[in-house]
Amino acid sequence: MAPNIEPRTKLEQLFEQETDKFELNCAFLSHIDLENETESFEIVHGSHGNLKPDTTVPLSKTYCRKTIADPEGTMAVSDALAEGWEDDPAYATLEFGSYLGTTVLVDNDLYGTLCFADTAARDEPFIDKEKILVEMYGQWVEYILSLRDEPLIRETRTDTIEGRAVSSEAIDLMMDALTSRTRRVILMTLLGDTTETSIVTIERRLNHENDRIRLHHTHLPKLANAGYIRWDNKTEIISKGPKFSEVEPLVRLLKEYNTSFPE
């Protein structure tokens, strides 16, 4: 998700990447009109049935009506039939066997939802890691939408993370970095008082040989170019980069949701 790509294209790229990661075949950004009690599907990936771009359905017949009513603003359905959705109008309308959605706000007002879904049930229940990721993507979409009616002069547009001003370009870079499990592992290794770690230590925490191969060719260069790490090729030592403090709050948030290292 390069920073200069048009917002709609960014969302389409996000949907294409994350439907595979969540093992779901559909994704959509919706706009919800509470006054008229409708939900419109604005950007759709993998459309089917009533889930099509620019289609509007009654809010009462959608899964998202419960997402926006949830105190956490996020709802997960791993197996709709097993969880009692068979007689719900949402199941009759959209036929989702699994669903993961989060609320999207713009200027503190409800805009709609960001959701991933599938006509089939999930083999495994959604875990906290997946829920926090969809919430993070929802926050990223909020930033994108907040720029929709403004000039895209990225140097002058700032938002905040933990009270600190962060440019929208920086937010795009963070989200891009954190979509990869391997890059999350690398950044989590440097949390707290840890100032540096070795590549050997990182490799021990990766499950697959492909991850270890891509470590040198993809993940380390990407984090180094973003300024999140320093990578010494000669000593094979990784340390915190000049911009590590920008991404650290989001990395700590993922850590709190048990998305750190495999057992």
Side-chain angles (χ1 to χ4, degrees), residues 7-17 43-45:
R8 174 176 283 270
T9 302
K10 289 184 181 183
L11 289 172
E12 290 170 347
Q13 290 178 347
L14 173 72
F15 288 158
E16 184 173 0
Q17 292 172 8
I43 302 177
V44 176
H45 173 78

Side-chain angles (χ1 to χ4, degrees), residues 17-85:
Q17 292 172 8
E18 298 311 304
T19 47
D20 287 341
K21 291 182 181 178
F22 288 132
E23 298 181 346
L24 302 171
N25 61 16
C26 299
F28 60 91
L29 171 69
S30 79
H31 177 64
I32 292 176
D33 185 336
L34 291 177
E35 183 176 353
N36 293 309
E37 298 185 350
T38 59
E39 179 172 15
S40 302
F41 304 119
E42 292 194 338
I43 302 177
V44 176
H45 173 78
S47 60
H48 80 94
N50 288 316
L51 181 64
K52 296 178 180 178
D54 301 320
T55 298
T56 299
V57 297
L59 183 61
S60 61
K61 297 184 178 181
T62 69
Y63 292 71
C64 297
R65 77 185 194 277
K66 294 192 176 182
T67 300
I68 63 175
D70 188 278
E72 300 296 326
T74 299
M75 187 180 73
V77 178
S78 301
D79 186 335
L81 296 182
E83 295 173 39
W85 287 80

Side-chain angles (χ1 to χ4, degrees), residues 80-123:
L81 296 182
E83 295 173 39
W85 287 80
E86 183 174 9
D87 296 325
D88 192 284
Y91 186 78
T93 301
L94 297 170
E95 298 180 337
F96 291 150
S98 49
Y99 165 98
L100 178 62
T102 192
T103 303
V104 173
L105 306 176
V106 175
D107 296 329
N108 294 319
D109 292 326
L110 177 67
Y111 180 87
T113 56
L114 177 73
C115 307
F116 296 84
D118 200 303
T119 52
R122 285 255 302 197
D123 292 333

Side-chain angles (χ1 to χ4, degrees), residues 203-221:
E203 288 177 332
R204 288 172 181 163
R205 289 168 171 166
L206 301 178
N207 288 333
H208 304 293
E209 181 63 26
N210 286 342
D211 290 335
R212 288 187 282 271
I213 293 172
R214 295 185 65 195
L215 180 65
H216 294 80
H217 298 290
T218 302
H219 302 302
L220 291 175

Side-chain angles (χ1 to χ4, degrees), residues 163-179:
R164 292 175 292 177
V166 180
S167 71
S168 292
E169 181 178 14
I171 291 167
D172 283 351
L173 288 173
M174 291 179 209
M175 297 305 299
D176 190 24
L178 294 172
T179 55

Side-chain angles (χ1 to χ4, degrees), residues 250-262:
L250 294 181
V251 177
R252 280 195 279 104
L253 182 61
L254 288 173
K255 180 81 169 181
E256 292 172 4
Y257 275 77
N258 296 318
T259 62
S260 52
F261 311 126

